[in-house]
């Protein structure tokens, strides 16, 4: 007999499913080809001993975030999210290119986004404040909060209401602290899953948590700072929402917004309607995607390959 379930935890090939009657069931993919991730809705069958389910197929994903694996291929990280929370903080010094890459990955995957400014009880440098205002002007919603003082945590919780969210951002911005605020039971649940699967490395465990405010959060150390795959970006705008808005006004329908004539994006850059640093991120990401498409340019092994030698 076949039945449906949702993957609520993934630990390598060990999966935990939630089935229709609310029960949780251990499972594993049936066949090597099936790359099942947390959040997936799956079709399954019980194995001969009825103590484990075999996942036969994955239902079409409403959304999927991809990371680049060691071979530079796009590999699913988490499925069926509706919201990506991109966290930053006054300290460590924000790397806005990292923030932009997450925002672009999210909009390319059709996800809603919020920029989470954590540690808001700390002073924000004017330069950082100016960047945050530029995000707001570009159409992003910001939530200021503090995992330490609990300021803004209610707003964060309510942003997650009705959503399936994940929290990402550079190391040290307070993601683990925020997750502990949002899901006090998180540590316990992860601990149980690790014990259940021989206590191997924890970084691949992703888990879907029900939040008190009605939302859900998929979290794991491997999701919190994954490197989004370039190949999964929307090809025309690379996921920059303000560029996607202007692109239909460019002369060429395949305009890359680099040096083409009558480019609405370049015009907006010159008039100041597009923020110069956001455009710089766009250019950097554009070069990286072109490097990926034309591997004849040898790269130095780092993640930020340059298209031209000098
Ligand atoms: P992660 O690497 O993003 O998961 O960040 P952590 O949650 O491990 O936090 C990194 C450091 O920032 C820790 O020392 C936390 O105690 C601290 N931290 C987290 N949230 C806040 C906050 O709201 N305010 C302040 N001042 N420190 C925080
Ligand atoms: Zn253009």
């Amino acid at each position: 007999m076949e039945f449906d379930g949702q993957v609520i935890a993934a630990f390598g090939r060990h999966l935990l499913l939630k089935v229709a009657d609310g029960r949780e069931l251990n499972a594993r993919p049936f066949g090597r080809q099936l790359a099942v991730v947390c959040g997936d809705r799956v079709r399954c069958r019980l194995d001969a001993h009825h103590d484990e389910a075999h996942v036969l197929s994955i239902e079409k994903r409403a959304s999927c975030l991809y990371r680049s694996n060691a071979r530079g291929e796009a590999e699913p990280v988490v499925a069926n999210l509706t919201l990506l929370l991109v966290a930053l903080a006054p300290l460590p010094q924000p790397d806005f290119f990292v923030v932009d890459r997450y925002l672009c990955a999210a909009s390319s995957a059709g996800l809603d986004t919020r920029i989470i400014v954590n540690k808001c009880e700390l002073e924000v440098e004017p330069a950082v404040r100016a960047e945050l205002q530029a995000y707001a002007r570009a159409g992003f919603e910001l939530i200021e909060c503090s995992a330490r003082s609990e300021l803004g945590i209610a707003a964060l919780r309510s942003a997650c209401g009705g959503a399936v969210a994940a929290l990402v951002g550079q190391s040290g911005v307070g993601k683990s602290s925020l997750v502990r605020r949002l899901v006090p039971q998180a540590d316990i649940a992860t601990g149980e899953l690790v014990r259940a699967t021989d206590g191997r490395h924890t970084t691949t465990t992703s888990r879907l948590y029900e939040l008190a405010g009605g939302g859900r959060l998929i979290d794991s150390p491997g999701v919190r700072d994954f490197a989004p795959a370039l190949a999964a970006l929307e090809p025309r705008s690379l996921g920059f929402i303000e560029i996607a808005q202007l692109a239909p006004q460019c002369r060429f329908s395949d305009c890359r917004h680099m040096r083409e004539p009558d480019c609405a994006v370049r015009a907006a850059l010159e008039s100041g309607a597009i923020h110069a640093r956001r455009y710089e991120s766009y250019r950097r990401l554009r070069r990286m995607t072109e490097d990926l498409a034309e591997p004849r340019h040898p790269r130095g092994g780092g993640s930020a390959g340059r298209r031209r030698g000098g």
Side-chain angles (χ1 to χ4, degrees):
M1 194 193 65
E2 293 186 5
F3 57 94
D4 298 318
Q6 183 173 26
V7 179
I8 57 164
F11 185 76
R13 294 177 66 79
H14 292 270
L15 308 171
L16 192 64
L17 302 183
K18 190 160 197 164
V19 294
D21 65 6
R23 266 187 312 143
E24 296 183 2
L25 199 62
N26 286 312
R28 63 178 63 236
F30 189 71
R32 285 271 143 207
Q33 301 308 317
L34 220 47
V36 187
V37 295
C38 197
D40 266 327
R41 295 182 181 283
V42 293
R43 188 89 190 141
C44 348
R45 191 170 58 205
L46 279 181
D47 71 357
H49 304 101
H50 289 233
D51 54 0
E52 196 182 58
H54 286 152
V55 173
L56 306 173
S57 61
I58 303 170
E59 272 182 46
K60 190 172 168 4
R61 293 165 174 156
S63 73
C64 187
L65 285 176
Y66 293 87
R67 80 173 129 228
S68 283
N69 69 15
R71 271 165 279 133
E73 302 153 342
E75 168 183 283
V77 182
V78 31
N80 298 320
L81 287 184
T82 65
L83 172 67
L84 196 69
L85 307 167
V86 182
L88 54 85
L91 265 177
Q93 179 77 34
D95 182 338
F96 289 108
F97 183 62
V98 172
V99 172
D100 289 339
R101 275 193 75 165
Y102 284 123
L103 294 174
C104 286
S107 81
S108 297
L111 306 185
D112 204 0
T113 55
R114 295 288 184 283
I115 296 174
I116 308 303
V117 184
N118 188 37
K119 312 193 190 182
C120 72
E121 86 284 2
L122 302 180
E123 200 184 326
V124 180
E125 270 178 46
V128 171
R129 180 65 61 196
E131 293 299 340
L132 297 181
Q133 282 162 355
Y135 280 116
R137 275 199 306 278
F140 292 100
E141 277 187 51
L142 283 73
I143 298 175
E144 302 201 2
C145 63
S146 166
R148 181 157 294 175
S149 73
E150 199 155 354
L151 272 169
I153 297 298
L156 179 56
R157 223 179 242 126
S158 94
C160 294
V164 186
L167 182 66
V168 297
Q170 69 192 97
S171 173
V173 299
K175 298 179 296 297
S176 330
S177 312
L178 288 170
V179 170
R180 276 197 295 274
R181 283 276 181 205
L182 292 173
V183 258
Q185 77 275 24
D187 286 340
I188 309 158
T190 306
E192 277 166 7
L193 188 71
V194 171
R195 269 196 303 282
T197 51
D198 313 330
R200 279 188 303 160
H201 215 261
T202 56
T203 53
T204 50
T205 316
S206 315
R207 174 126 199 168
L208 190 150
Y209 299 103
E210 309 276 341
L211 303 180
R216 295 189 288 168
L217 182 79
I218 297 184
D219 182 59
S220 83
V223 169
R224 287 177 201 159
D225 61 357
F226 81 100
L230 298 171
L233 294 175
E234 195 283 314
R236 294 273 173 265
S237 65
L238 302 183
F240 283 81
I241 55 171
E242 64 274 59
I243 290 179
Q245 261 172 17
L246 288 165
Q249 296 162 38
C250 296
R251 189 206 289 183
F252 300 111
S253 62
D254 62 349
C255 185
R256 290 154 58 252
H257 326 300
M258 296 288 269
R259 288 160 190 272
E260 291 86 345
D262 294 332
C263 169
V265 174
R266 301 278 314 190
L269 176 69
E270 268 143 46
S271 76
I274 279 199
H275 186 53
R277 198 206 50 73
R278 282 277 288 174
Y279 181 74
E280 205 39 54
S281 273
Y282 169 78
R283 226 164 51 168
R284 199 167 149 192
L285 214 46
R286 177 60 75 190
R287 291 212 185 96
M288 286 165 69
T289 56
E290 286 174 357
D291 267 358
L292 189 75
E294 297 171 53
R296 65 202 157 87
H297 297 281
R299 276 188 286 171
S303 58
R306 298 263 304 272
R307 184 168 165 73
R308 291 166 202 86

